[in-house]
Amino acid sequence: MKVHVPGTANLDALLVDWIDHDGRICAVNAMEARELAIALAQGESVPLERIYSSTSAQMLRGIARDGQPFVSGLAVWVNSPQYSEIPMIATVVSDPGRGLAVIKQPLPESVLGIGPELAERVEILSQMIGAATEACWCIEFLEPVDTALAEDEIVERIFSNQSRWRACNEAMARLYRVPEGLDFNIQPVSRYFPATEINRRMVRDLVRSGYRLDRAAAVDRRHDDSEMLVENDFRAAIKDGFLVRLWGTTRDIGAHRQREQQLADRADTMQDILSAAPDPILVISEDGLLLATNPAAESVWGRTAEQVLGRPLQQFVETRNALDKLRQAALAGEDSDGECDLAVIAADASRDVWRFRAARIEGEMRRYVLTARRKSRRRTRGLLQEAAS
């Protein structure tokens, strides 16, 4: 049976494009140029993903590679100017001099065999992503990235190859402050995800991790060009060794990092104050373990922080029930000075009585801050006798 192969000269009512010997689209007819908003200059070519979904592009690339002269009845998905996908039926024919011609016309989804159950599942997933409070995004590469390239080249192409946003939700638009009524999905990827040094390092980490990375910090740009510190979770789709899609979630961590920095700065300031204080200062837990000391405490009692931290205070105090006395002093201190006297054993086994002022710190774990001052020698002798009795 002889198969009739139609020509491509008089197909102005259909969408037609031509695939060259390199597997790229080298020409489109007037109908396709108008309907898909594509303009190709003489000698210019674009990747198949510029027009087709990644799956359809992969299929057509295989047909071109195998050199099949005629294939009909192919179901393909075409990218519209509104960044949606249109189902079409296609015929591929050999066109001498220009490679392969792909002739298409739209058709309803029902013809493609998409049943009600599958359509419902897609709708449910779309609604879940759309309603999510966390920013969800997807980047689709119109020029897939060859993962066999050197690491630096992969990083460069992830930023430079043609790409587009795909199926980003409302939370994503709010996070990047996209004006109301403006579709985030039609904005350039580079506008919000620029090729900064920190973002390049993040993408390099992504490549090294096998294209699966969580809690990756980046500096993105909002719609108004202001910078935003974010944290990303990445996943990838790789087909035949080519990166075709990245997707994941994004969180604004600028306020969190600012709070962390404020706490760190406050801690440094407090450390400076404690280091400069002339009196010994200790921090103990509710059960009497030493949590912190200042340099003055190390100096007067002759023990470094490494020697005392994590050990019970009672090991270094001769006074019995020292922890109970300090607790009572802290409780009394809410109405008065909150002081008690304890006999402290120094590293050289000498003993001196110190007056401790105790203050309670509430939090997830109760702690006590103790400030000590040495008692007079005459008073000390009497208190040491009391402590020993």
Side-chain angles (χ1 to χ4, degrees):
M1 177 179 177
K2 186 176 180 179
V3 177
H4 173 67
V5 179
T8 60
N10 299 304
L11 296 173
D12 291 341
L14 301 174
L15 281 73
V16 185
D17 52 64
W18 284 262
I19 303 174
D20 63 19
H21 299 292
D22 294 325
R24 294 170 62 88
I25 295 172
C26 60
V28 297
N29 72 344
M31 171 67 79
E32 183 160 317
R34 182 172 64 253
E35 293 297 318
L36 302 185
I38 297 173
L40 282 178
Q42 184 70 28
E44 182 184 5
S45 65
V46 295
L48 293 176
E49 285 80 4
R50 173 63 180 84
I51 291 178
Y52 300 98
S53 71
S54 58
T55 301
S56 298
Q58 183 181 10
M59 176 184 64
L60 292 172
R61 193 175 286 114
I63 292 173
R65 184 173 57 245
D66 295 341
Q68 299 181 50
F70 178 78
V71 183
S72 64
L74 296 176
V76 297
W77 294 83
V78 173
N79 301 323
S80 77
Q82 291 74 36
Y83 287 82
S84 61
E85 290 185 353
I86 303 171
M88 294 192 179
I89 191 73
T91 297
V92 179
V93 299
S94 178
D95 191 357
R98 287 199 287 186
L100 293 179
V102 185
I103 307 165
K104 305 174 294 295
Q105 65 178 4
L107 76 168
E109 297 174 359
S110 58
V111 177
L112 293 175
I114 300 178
E117 182 179 353
L118 181 57
E120 183 180 34
R121 290 183 181 182
V122 172
E123 181 181 4
I124 291 172
L125 289 174
S126 298
Q127 290 174 346
M128 289 174 63
I129 294 172
T133 56
E134 192 167 47
C136 302
W137 54 269
C138 177
I139 297 174
E140 186 170 61
F141 291 94
L142 303 179
E143 292 181 281
V145 179
D146 187 353
T147 59
L149 296 171
E151 181 182 282
D152 288 343
E153 184 65 20
I154 294 174
V155 172
E156 178 62 32
R157 295 199 179 193
I158 284 177
F159 286 102
S160 63
N161 280 17
Q162 291 188 59
S163 61
R164 64 168 182 167
W165 295 111
R166 178 84 179 274
C168 299
N169 64 355
E170 287 297 323
M172 186 75 172
R174 290 193 299 270
L175 179 62
Y176 287 82
R177 299 179 184 173
V178 176
E180 188 73 25
L182 187 63
D183 187 357
F184 184 93
N185 291 287
I186 66 174
Q187 303 302 306
V189 172
S190 59
R191 176 168 189 166
Y192 307 102
F193 185 44
T196 60
E197 186 56 36
I198 187 173
N199 290 354
R200 287 178 181 274
R201 287 200 301 269
M202 179 189 65
V203 171
R204 184 171 286 105
D205 290 341
L206 174 67
V207 174
R208 291 175 178 176
S209 67
Y211 299 93
R212 182 185 180 96
L213 186 64
D214 291 331
R215 303 177 66 82
V219 177
D220 288 0
R221 289 200 186 104
R222 301 183 181 91
H223 191 78
D224 60 6
D225 286 335
S226 61
E227 289 189 341
M228 174 175 56
L229 182 62
V230 299
E231 187 177 74
N232 294 292
D233 296 336
F234 280 94
R235 300 295 183 268
I238 298 176
K239 296 181 179 180
D240 293 336
F242 284 83
L243 175 64
V244 298
R245 200 174 298 117
L246 285 173
W247 74 90
T249 57
T250 296
R251 297 169 292 280
D252 182 359
I253 59 172
H256 177 68
R257 288 292 176 88
Q258 185 178 15
R259 176 62 176 164
E260 285 184 341
Q261 187 60 51
Q262 289 174 343
L263 291 174
D265 292 343
R266 186 179 301 174
D268 290 342
T269 301
M270 292 303 298
Q271 186 64 41
D272 292 340
I273 294 173
L274 291 175
S275 297
D279 295 328
I281 299 175
L282 309 174
V283 179
I284 64 172
S285 65
E286 175 68 15
D287 53 1
L289 297 180
L290 282 159
L291 302 177
T293 66
N294 72 337
E298 297 180 30
S299 177
V300 299
W301 292 322
R303 292 186 178 91
T304 65
E306 289 75 13
Q307 291 174 319
V308 300
L309 296 185
R311 299 174 65 181
L313 175 67
Q314 189 67 64
Q315 289 186 7
F316 312 104
V317 176
E318 192 171 45
T319 306
R320 296 176 182 177
N321 302 318
L323 182 58
D324 290 338
K325 293 179 183 295
L326 289 168
R327 286 174 178 166
Q328 292 170 9
L331 184 61
E334 297 175 2
D335 300 315
S336 60
D337 289 338
E339 296 178 343
C340 69
D341 294 334
L342 302 177
V344 179
I345 307 169
D348 61 3
S350 63
R351 291 161 172 78
D352 277 313
V353 174
W354 294 74
R355 173 152 291 180
F356 284 82
R357 174 171 292 178
R360 185 169 59 183
I361 304 175
E362 297 293 350
E364 292 184 8
M365 296 178 62
R366 182 179 294 175
R367 292 158 295 170
Y368 299 88
V369 177
L370 314 177
T371 305
R373 287 196 174 182
R374 194 194 305 266
K375 298 284 291 185
S376 67
R377 290 293 180 181
R378 186 174 62 181
R379 178 61 177 156
T380 294
R381 284 194 296 270
L383 290 172
L384 286 174
Q385 292 174 356
E386 292 178 10
S389 60

